Amino acid sequence: MSARLQERSGGNGSTVGVAPETTAAPVVGGDGRQIPAPEEQRWAGLAVALARKLAEMLDGNGTLPRSPQTEEAVRQHFTALYRQAGLNLPPQQAQAFYQRVLDELFGFGPLEPFLRDDSVTEIMVNGPQLVYVERKGKLEEVPPCFVDEAHVMRLIERILKPLGRRVDAKWPMVDARLPDGSRVNVIVPPCAVHGPTITIRKFSRKRLQVEDLIAFGSLTPPVAEFLRACVQARLNILVSGGTGSGKTTLLNVLSSFIPATERIVTIEDSAELQLHQRHVVTLEARPADPDGSGRVAIRDLVINALRMRPDRIVVGECRGGEALDMLQAMNTGHDGSLTTLHANSPRDALSRLETMALMAGMELPVRVIREQIASAVDLIVQQARLRDGSRKVVSVTEVQGMEGDVVVLQDIFTFREEGLDEGGQVRGQLRPTGARPRFMARLENAGVHLGLDVFATPELNELHQRRNGR
């Protein structure tokens, strides 16, 4: 059923009338989610109009706090308006439409179904007519569910208002966080040419454990055992990878290996880490106000964290000059630090770290910075999103020191791709290279003992088995 929405002003405010035009109805999937039909925007417009009317009826200023009492009042008034409009949908479709009105009243409007859907990991609104979501690492376009740009802007205001933030033509970009912790980036015209744009990186409802990553195939039990040993032995670890490759998820899991007896300070642009320990201090950067004042950068927080008697410093992501402060902290007794950065390989990660250290503005020779990197960073864990959308650890690399002007790297584990299976999934194995890390003595001194079979190649293990069999 499509509907022509009519709004007219009356003595007590606007009234809502609906003129039925066809017998088609909103399509509803088996899970109760409404699947948009060609008339989707008209249904969206009707839901928005009903939500406005209900808000005005129950609260004169058009805002409505959620509570059992208000929800019951909304249900009663919605039933009256529904009948007044002459709508007569099948029960499942009527419930889906009512849920849409509730989402407009209390939630984040058309995005609520995607926020409730645990299979969706990212939501991208490229203006009112183009919406994408990511499922299992792959993007898919969904039918537009916004009425117009004003509808998108109202949703943006609903996200930002509780945070005391705003966005407009003078300040067109902003980062924010939803109540569940999901990260939001907003950019509006004139910078966003085709309309207001929203990007949401959803916050996982479940704290993933290392067993989950093993089950997903992101890493293997021997690699998990090795990484646990490295964290417990207080090695400085850098997690490297591209956008959306799973760096933060892996950092969460690595952080879970830190003993509960240690004091941890986390530093992030937008707080996403979900540490399992009790003694955790969470610090979050603050963007500048529209007048340019009040900014607290990651670098400021890193410097402040050094005065907080941390046993471990976990930086969600290094992006600039804070890299130099992080390196200095690692080199001055703050072992066991963890951080991430964007890079496509371990060698690229070192180059980026070098560049970011130079961004600190100190007149340091490149060789001095490389020496700091070589002495500070012990291990680089490379994460990648493969062509089938899966996220995997593709290499674990030791930083062995300097030879001349070059930082020496040695792969301990690498992922070997073996093509695609019949379902289009990447086949491959994360295998040891046969090299033993030079820091094995540090693991032993920390009371962590790994068997040599962790580093043995499959071929070598097979040879040992044959010899033992003889």
Side-chain angles (χ1 to χ4, degrees):
M1 178 180 185
S2 66
R4 175 164 47 84
L5 182 64
Q6 300 172 330
E7 293 188 63
R8 60 184 183 271
S9 297
N12 297 323
S14 64
T15 61
V16 178
V18 181
E21 292 178 351
T22 73
T23 57
V27 182
V28 178
D31 60 354
R33 277 194 307 112
Q34 187 166 328
I35 302 173
E39 299 87 0
E40 169 66 13
Q41 280 191 299
R42 295 182 181 180
W43 282 103
L46 178 58
V48 169
L50 281 173
R52 284 185 179 177
K53 178 64 178 176
L54 288 167
E56 291 169 0
M57 293 172 69
L58 296 169
D59 190 308
N61 60 17
T63 61
L64 202 61
R66 189 165 197 166
S67 68
Q69 293 77 16
T70 55
E71 285 197 35
E72 176 60 24
V74 165
R75 187 189 63 79
Q76 293 176 2
H77 286 293
F78 171 84
T79 301
L81 291 173
Y82 180 84
R83 291 171 179 168
Q84 175 191 335
L87 296 173
N88 186 23
L89 299 175
Q92 187 181 26
Q93 295 176 350
Q95 180 59 36
F97 181 67
Y98 175 60
Q99 183 60 54
R100 166 172 281 193
V101 173
L102 288 180
D103 291 342
E104 290 290 344
L105 265 174
F106 301 118
F108 296 108
L111 300 188
E112 274 293 330
F114 305 120
L115 292 170
R116 287 192 290 263
D117 186 347
D118 289 338
S119 69
V120 174
T121 52
E122 296 216 33
I123 305 168
M124 288 144 276
V125 179
N126 302 346
Q129 300 303 314
L130 195 59
V131 181
Y132 288 87
V133 299
E134 182 189 74
R135 285 189 175 96
K136 297 180 179 179
K138 292 189 174 182
L139 293 179
E140 59 181 78
E141 183 177 354
V142 296
C145 45
F146 288 93
V147 179
D148 49 26
E149 285 195 10
H151 191 190
V152 183
M153 290 302 298
R154 286 196 297 272
L155 172 60
I156 290 173
E157 182 181 1
R158 177 167 290 186
I159 292 172
L160 298 181
K161 189 174 181 181
L163 305 175
R165 311 285 294 282
R166 68 183 180 88
V167 65
D168 52 34
K170 291 183 178 179
W171 195 257
M173 298 177 292
V174 67
D175 288 311
R177 192 169 65 247
L178 297 183
D180 69 354
S182 297
R183 188 172 65 193
V184 184
N185 175 268
V186 171
I187 182 165
V188 301
C191 291
V193 176
H194 297 295
T197 300
I198 307 171
T199 307
I200 299 177
R201 171 75 60 85
K202 284 182 61 179
F203 184 83
S204 176
R205 298 169 192 257
K206 177 187 176 185
R207 291 185 179 184
L208 294 180
Q209 309 284 343
V210 66
E211 293 80 13
D212 296 310
L213 297 192
I214 293 172
F216 298 154
S218 296
L219 46 75
T220 62
V223 173
E225 183 183 359
F226 174 70
L227 293 177
R228 182 192 300 271
C230 291
V231 172
Q232 292 176 348
R234 303 185 63 86
L235 269 64
N236 294 317
I237 301 175
L238 180 65
V239 178
S240 167
T243 301
S245 61
K247 298 186 299 298
T248 302
T249 299
L250 181 58
L251 188 63
N252 261 322
V253 170
L254 293 179
S255 300
S256 70
F257 299 148
I258 299 174
T261 56
E262 298 186 9
R263 175 176 170 85
I264 308 168
V265 178
T266 68
I267 301 169
E268 300 174 84
D269 259 332
S270 181
E272 294 179 86
L273 292 173
Q274 298 173 277
L275 270 64
H276 303 252
Q277 296 83 347
R278 179 173 174 80
H279 196 171
V280 178
V281 179
T282 302
L283 305 181
E284 185 178 53
R286 183 186 187 280
D289 293 327
D291 62 2
S293 64
R295 181 171 183 263
V296 180
I298 290 284
R299 185 175 188 190
D300 301 319
L301 296 178
V302 171
I303 294 171
N304 187 79
L306 299 177
R307 304 170 185 147
M308 298 175 66
R309 197 248 174 236
D311 290 306
R312 309 269 187 154
I313 298 175
V314 181
V315 178
E317 183 179 341
C318 277
R319 295 180 180 176
E322 67 272 5
L324 181 60
D325 301 295
M326 188 74 182
L327 290 173
Q328 290 176 339
M330 291 175 174
N331 277 320
T332 55
H334 294 88
D335 295 329
S337 297
L338 306 169
T339 189
T340 74
L341 58 76
H342 281 79
N344 295 322
S345 71
R347 180 63 63 184
D348 288 344
L350 294 185
S351 298
R352 281 221 62 206
L353 200 56
E354 183 180 309
T355 301
M356 290 188 294
L358 290 169
M359 291 169 62
M362 298 183 67
E363 299 292 334
L364 292 175
V366 172
R367 180 178 173 82
V368 171
I369 292 177
R370 287 181 183 169
E371 288 174 346
Q372 288 244 358
I373 293 172
S375 61
V377 180
D378 298 304
L379 200 68
I380 301 173
V381 183
Q382 185 68 36
Q383 184 89 3
R385 181 166 57 177
L386 305 184
R387 47 184 167 159
D388 63 354
S390 62
R391 296 168 171 87
K392 296 183 184 295
V393 172
V394 293
S395 69
V396 179
T397 304
E398 179 189 13
V399 180
Q400 294 191 327
M402 293 279 293
E403 282 189 7
D405 291 332
V406 179
V407 179
V408 179
L409 300 179
Q410 173 64 58
D411 289 334
I412 308 301
F413 300 91
T414 58
F415 181 80
R416 296 185 184 179
E417 189 172 327
E418 300 168 354
L420 300 176
D421 62 18
E422 294 179 356
Q425 301 298 306
V426 172
R427 290 188 295 110
Q429 292 182 323
L430 183 61
R431 304 172 54 180
T433 62
R436 293 182 65 210
R438 292 184 179 179
F439 52 68
M440 284 298 293
R442 290 179 60 184
L443 302 186
E444 296 287 338
N445 293 336
V448 181
H449 305 284
L450 293 176
L452 295 180
D453 57 329
V454 171
F455 308 107
T457 63
E459 294 80 8
L460 187 57
N461 280 329
E462 184 178 350
L463 179 61
H464 286 163
Q465 288 173 2
R466 286 178 181 175
R467 286 179 177 175
N468 293 335
R470 289 175 188 171

